[in-house]
């Protein structure tokens, strides 16, 4: 078995493409963006734990996080799962994006 063969591959591909897109965005976003790839999920979220215990920036300055795992690679999808809705300042962005798709 090859843990992460699909979910890690699609997540990292999306992470790279989002990084490229934001690097080319003009005007620049008002906030700094941090793209983080963690490892060892199957071994107990070790990469996530390390990031949480050793943040490269003050946690209080982080507005939110987006975890991309096992992206659907066969055309468009209609579904998204939001964990923590109501717990960050990012809800308005999500609401507006969903509204543009009649959701």
């Amino acid at each position: 078995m090859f843990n992460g063969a699909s979910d890690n591959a699609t997540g990292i591909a999306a992470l790279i493409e989002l990084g490229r897109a934001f690097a080319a965005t003009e005007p620049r976003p008002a906030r700094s963006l941090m793209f983080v790839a963690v490892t060892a999920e199957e071994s107990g979220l070790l990469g996530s734990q390390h990031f949480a215990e050793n943040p490269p920036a003050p946690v209080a300055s982080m507005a939110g996080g987006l975890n991309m795992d096992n992206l659907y690679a066969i055309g468009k999808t209609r579904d998204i799962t939001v964990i923590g809705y109501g717990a960050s300042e990012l809800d308005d962005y999500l609401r507006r994006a969903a509204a543009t798709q009649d959701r």
Side-chain angles (χ1 to χ4, degrees):
M1 178 124 226
F2 298 98
N3 290 328
S6 176
D7 58 345
N8 291 359
T10 59
I12 293 298
L15 185 78
I16 291 168
E17 288 307 311
L18 282 169
R20 286 181 184 163
F22 275 106
T25 298
E26 291 294 338
R28 294 284 203 213
R31 290 184 173 269
S32 296
L33 301 172
M34 182 184 325
F35 294 86
V36 179
V38 295
T39 189
E41 175 186 24
E42 290 83 4
S43 299
L45 301 173
L46 300 179
S48 295
Q49 179 180 354
H50 180 79
F51 177 82
E53 292 174 353
N54 303 279
V59 174
S61 70
M62 297 181 195
L66 174 65
N67 180 10
M68 300 176 300
D69 193 34
N70 208 16
L71 301 175
Y72 189 66
I74 308 173
K76 292 183 178 183
T77 184
R78 299 180 328 209
D79 302 324
I80 185 170
T81 300
V82 179
I83 299 170
Y85 190 79
S88 82
E89 299 173 9
L90 300 177
D91 296 340
D92 289 337
Y93 294 104
L94 177 60
R95 232 185 330 275
R96 284 195 301 268
T100 66
Q101 299 178 26
D102 297 321
R103 307 217 183 261

